Amino acid sequence: ETGVTQSPTHLIKTRGQQVTLRCSSQSGHNTVSWYQQALGQGPQFIFQYYREEENGRGNFPPRFSGLQFPNYSSELNVNALELDDSALYLCASSPRTSGNNEQFFGPGTRLTVL
Amino acid sequence: EDQVTQSPEALRLQEGESSSLNCSYTVSGLRGLFWYRQDPGKGPEFLFTLYSAGEEKEKERLKATLTKKESFLHITAPKPEDSATYLCAVQRGSQGNLIFGKGTKLSVKP
């Protein structure tokens, strides 16, 4: 069974640029959630996708957007990057079955904005 | 407002010295409480899910318990490889997202 994978591992961008991060969900999982984790903080929920539709969003501006594909993989896009966007971006997948709410995380993408 | 508070922020133990980590929460309609382990620069690793007060789960040297207001992660006779940040998160009944605490950074010295 393949776990959650994310790419790239690290990324360096400058202010104002745009970035796309990618996530492949664990086999059998149809729900993907994205989180932002600043240094020394817990992960903060960005949004969740279920069957290619956004299914909940945290307190993040519209320049954070996402997609989910028919194979349940997902992308996180961030436009007009700001210095505060520097963080570890985590993708988590879950099976979305009744009574099974565990979310399994990928290794993350470390984004540095200069 | 939903909130998760973990204490202490950091904990240093000697190998074999048992202790507990605390997670206090306020949330309407708790769907589940989750414990994760996170190594530096890595994604969180799932440990436990607890669904109702009184529930307990164990895995090797770790035991998680849940009351109506808090959860404890008990570590028995820890080893240096248990050093990590332990994250607690709650999930509300109507939503799928996790609300995390800031974590407890555990260091176990040989």
PDB file of all heavy atoms in Angstrom, chain A residues 61-75:
ATOM      1  N   PRO A  61      -6.906  33.335   2.406  1.00  0.00           N
ATOM      2  CA  PRO A  61      -7.423  34.194   1.335  1.00  0.00           C
ATOM      3  C   PRO A  61      -7.603  33.417   0.027  1.00  0.00           C
ATOM      4  O   PRO A  61      -7.048  32.327  -0.150  1.00  0.00           O
ATOM      5  CB  PRO A  61      -6.350  35.279   1.201  1.00  0.00           C
ATOM      6  CG  PRO A  61      -5.105  34.636   1.711  1.00  0.00           C
ATOM      7  CD  PRO A  61      -5.538  33.711   2.808  1.00  0.00           C
ATOM      8  N   PRO A  62      -8.359  34.012  -0.923  1.00  0.00           N
ATOM      9  CA  PRO A  62      -8.635  33.342  -2.206  1.00  0.00           C
ATOM     10  C   PRO A  62      -7.410  33.059  -3.048  1.00  0.00           C
ATOM     11  O   PRO A  62      -7.486  32.234  -3.969  1.00  0.00           O
ATOM     12  CB  PRO A  62      -9.572  34.340  -2.913  1.00  0.00           C
ATOM     13  CG  PRO A  62     -10.172  35.131  -1.821  1.00  0.00           C
ATOM     14  CD  PRO A  62      -9.116  35.255  -0.760  1.00  0.00           C
ATOM     15  N   ARG A  63      -6.262  33.699  -2.762  1.00  0.00           N
ATOM     16  CA  ARG A  63      -5.086  33.398  -3.564  1.00  0.00           C
ATOM     17  C   ARG A  63      -4.555  31.980  -3.274  1.00  0.00           C
ATOM     18  O   ARG A  63      -3.677  31.495  -3.972  1.00  0.00           O
ATOM     19  CB  ARG A  63      -4.000  34.449  -3.333  1.00  0.00           C
ATOM     20  CG  ARG A  63      -3.541  34.598  -1.912  1.00  0.00           C
ATOM     21  CD  ARG A  63      -2.617  35.834  -1.738  1.00  0.00           C
ATOM     22  NE  ARG A  63      -2.102  35.880  -0.387  1.00  0.00           N
ATOM     23  CZ  ARG A  63      -1.033  35.220  -0.011  1.00  0.00           C
ATOM     24  NH1 ARG A  63      -0.364  34.498  -0.880  1.00  0.00           N
ATOM     25  NH2 ARG A  63      -0.621  35.289   1.255  1.00  0.00           N
ATOM     26  N   PHE A  64      -5.117  31.347  -2.254  1.00  0.00           N
ATOM     27  CA  PHE A  64      -4.875  29.915  -2.017  1.00  0.00           C
ATOM     28  C   PHE A  64      -6.016  29.159  -2.695  1.00  0.00           C
ATOM     29  O   PHE A  64      -7.186  29.330  -2.326  1.00  0.00           O
ATOM     30  CB  PHE A  64      -4.858  29.579  -0.526  1.00  0.00           C
ATOM     31  CG  PHE A  64      -3.634  30.011   0.202  1.00  0.00           C
ATOM     32  CD1 PHE A  64      -3.466  31.333   0.565  1.00  0.00           C
ATOM     33  CD2 PHE A  64      -2.631  29.100   0.528  1.00  0.00           C
ATOM     34  CE1 PHE A  64      -2.322  31.746   1.236  1.00  0.00           C
ATOM     35  CE2 PHE A  64      -1.492  29.507   1.201  1.00  0.00           C
ATOM     36  CZ  PHE A  64      -1.335  30.838   1.559  1.00  0.00           C
ATOM     37  N   SER A  65      -5.682  28.358  -3.702  1.00  0.00           N
ATOM     38  CA  SER A  65      -6.721  27.601  -4.406  1.00  0.00           C
ATOM     39  C   SER A  65      -6.247  26.178  -4.634  1.00  0.00           C
ATOM     40  O   SER A  65      -5.058  25.878  -4.494  1.00  0.00           O
ATOM     41  CB  SER A  65      -7.065  28.263  -5.737  1.00  0.00           C
ATOM     42  OG  SER A  65      -5.930  28.258  -6.582  1.00  0.00           O
ATOM     43  N   GLY A  66      -7.181  25.313  -4.980  1.00  0.00           N
ATOM     44  CA  GLY A  66      -6.808  23.919  -5.138  1.00  0.00           C
ATOM     45  C   GLY A  66      -7.603  23.201  -6.201  1.00  0.00           C
ATOM     46  O   GLY A  66      -8.561  23.748  -6.787  1.00  0.00           O
ATOM     47  N   LEU A  67      -7.179  21.990  -6.459  1.00  0.00           N
ATOM     48  CA  LEU A  67      -7.856  21.109  -7.408  1.00  0.00           C
ATOM     49  C   LEU A  67      -7.734  19.693  -6.905  1.00  0.00           C
ATOM     50  O   LEU A  67      -6.748  19.338  -6.244  1.00  0.00           O
ATOM     51  CB  LEU A  67      -7.192  21.169  -8.789  1.00  0.00           C
ATOM     52  CG  LEU A  67      -7.444  22.354  -9.708  1.00  0.00           C
ATOM     53  CD1 LEU A  67      -6.527  22.262 -10.920  1.00  0.00           C
ATOM     54  CD2 LEU A  67      -8.906  22.398 -10.123  1.00  0.00           C
ATOM     55  N   GLN A  68      -8.739  18.868  -7.254  1.00  0.00           N
ATOM     56  CA  GLN A  68      -8.584  17.435  -7.071  1.00  0.00           C
ATOM     57  C   GLN A  68      -8.922  16.759  -8.392  1.00  0.00           C
ATOM     58  O   GLN A  68      -9.876  17.157  -9.074  1.00  0.00           O
ATOM     59  CB  GLN A  68      -9.494  16.898  -5.958  1.00  0.00           C
ATOM     60  CG  GLN A  68      -9.209  15.434  -5.630  1.00  0.00           C
ATOM     61  CD  GLN A  68     -10.074  14.872  -4.529  1.00  0.00           C
ATOM     62  OE1 GLN A  68     -11.220  15.272  -4.364  1.00  0.00           O
ATOM     63  NE2 GLN A  68      -9.539  13.944  -3.752  1.00  0.00           N
ATOM     64  N   PHE A  69      -8.180  15.758  -8.739  1.00  0.00           N
ATOM     65  CA  PHE A  69      -8.324  15.092 -10.029  1.00  0.00           C
ATOM     66  C   PHE A  69      -9.092  13.776  -9.880  1.00  0.00           C
ATOM     67  O   PHE A  69      -9.261  13.277  -8.763  1.00  0.00           O
ATOM     68  CB  PHE A  69      -6.942  14.873 -10.637  1.00  0.00           C
ATOM     69  CG  PHE A  69      -6.188  16.152 -10.855  1.00  0.00           C
ATOM     70  CD1 PHE A  69      -5.229  16.570  -9.937  1.00  0.00           C
ATOM     71  CD2 PHE A  69      -6.460  16.957 -11.946  1.00  0.00           C
ATOM     72  CE1 PHE A  69      -4.545  17.762 -10.123  1.00  0.00           C
ATOM     73  CE2 PHE A  69      -5.782  18.143 -12.135  1.00  0.00           C
ATOM     74  CZ  PHE A  69      -4.826  18.555 -11.220  1.00  0.00           C
ATOM     75  N   PRO A  70      -9.556  13.197 -10.987  1.00  0.00           N
ATOM     76  CA  PRO A  70     -10.337  11.951 -10.901  1.00  0.00           C
ATOM     77  C   PRO A  70      -9.621  10.820 -10.177  1.00  0.00           C
ATOM     78  O   PRO A  70     -10.274   9.935  -9.631  1.00  0.00           O
ATOM     79  CB  PRO A  70     -10.606  11.610 -12.370  1.00  0.00           C
ATOM     80  CG  PRO A  70     -10.607  12.925 -13.064  1.00  0.00           C
ATOM     81  CD  PRO A  70      -9.544  13.738 -12.352  1.00  0.00           C
ATOM     82  N   ASN A  71      -8.287  10.820 -10.187  1.00  0.00           N
ATOM     83  CA  ASN A  71      -7.558   9.761  -9.472  1.00  0.00           C
ATOM     84  C   ASN A  71      -7.330  10.139  -8.002  1.00  0.00           C
ATOM     85  O   ASN A  71      -6.576   9.477  -7.304  1.00  0.00           O
ATOM     86  CB  ASN A  71      -6.228   9.466 -10.154  1.00  0.00           C
ATOM     87  CG  ASN A  71      -5.261  10.640 -10.083  1.00  0.00           C
ATOM     88  OD1 ASN A  71      -5.605  11.721  -9.628  1.00  0.00           O
ATOM     89  ND2 ASN A  71      -4.043  10.422 -10.558  1.00  0.00           N
ATOM     90  N   TYR A  72      -7.959  11.234  -7.544  1.00  0.00           N
ATOM     91  CA  TYR A  72      -7.947  11.744  -6.177  1.00  0.00           C
ATOM     92  C   TYR A  72      -6.650  12.448  -5.795  1.00  0.00           C
ATOM     93  O   TYR A  72      -6.527  12.910  -4.663  1.00  0.00           O
ATOM     94  CB  TYR A  72      -8.277  10.664  -5.152  1.00  0.00           C
ATOM     95  CG  TYR A  72      -9.603   9.991  -5.430  1.00  0.00           C
ATOM     96  CD1 TYR A  72      -9.702   8.607  -5.525  1.00  0.00           C
ATOM     97  CD2 TYR A  72     -10.750  10.751  -5.609  1.00  0.00           C
ATOM     98  CE1 TYR A  72     -10.925   8.003  -5.797  1.00  0.00           C
ATOM     99  CE2 TYR A  72     -11.977  10.146  -5.894  1.00  0.00           C
ATOM    100  CZ  TYR A  72     -12.048   8.776  -5.981  1.00  0.00           C
ATOM    101  OH  TYR A  72     -13.255   8.170  -6.262  1.00  0.00           O
ATOM    102  N   SER A  73      -5.692  12.564  -6.723  1.00  0.00           N
ATOM    103  CA  SER A  73      -4.536  13.399  -6.438  1.00  0.00           C
ATOM    104  C   SER A  73      -4.989  14.856  -6.394  1.00  0.00           C
ATOM    105  O   SER A  73      -6.101  15.188  -6.834  1.00  0.00           O
ATOM    106  CB  SER A  73      -3.446  13.192  -7.477  1.00  0.00           C
ATOM    107  OG  SER A  73      -3.892  13.644  -8.745  1.00  0.00           O
ATOM    108  N   SER A  74      -4.119  15.731  -5.880  1.00  0.00           N
ATOM    109  CA  SER A  74      -4.559  17.109  -5.651  1.00  0.00           C
ATOM    110  C   SER A  74      -3.410  18.088  -5.856  1.00  0.00           C
ATOM    111  O   SER A  74      -2.238  17.711  -5.780  1.00  0.00           O
ATOM    112  CB  SER A  74      -5.100  17.242  -4.224  1.00  0.00           C
ATOM    113  OG  SER A  74      -5.485  18.569  -3.930  1.00  0.00           O
ATOM    114  N   GLU A  75      -3.779  19.321  -6.125  1.00  0.00           N
ATOM    115  CA  GLU A  75      -2.815  20.417  -6.228  1.00  0.00           C
ATOM    116  C   GLU A  75      -3.232  21.554  -5.316  1.00  0.00           C
ATOM    117  O   GLU A  75      -4.432  21.808  -5.130  1.00  0.00           O
ATOM    118  CB  GLU A  75      -2.756  20.961  -7.663  1.00  0.00           C
ATOM    119  CG  GLU A  75      -2.035  20.089  -8.655  1.00  0.00           C
ATOM    120  CD  GLU A  75      -1.967  20.735 -10.034  1.00  0.00           C
ATOM    121  OE1 GLU A  75      -2.555  21.820 -10.232  1.00  0.00           O
ATOM    122  OE2 GLU A  75      -1.322  20.135 -10.898  1.00  0.00           O
TER     123      GLU A  75
END
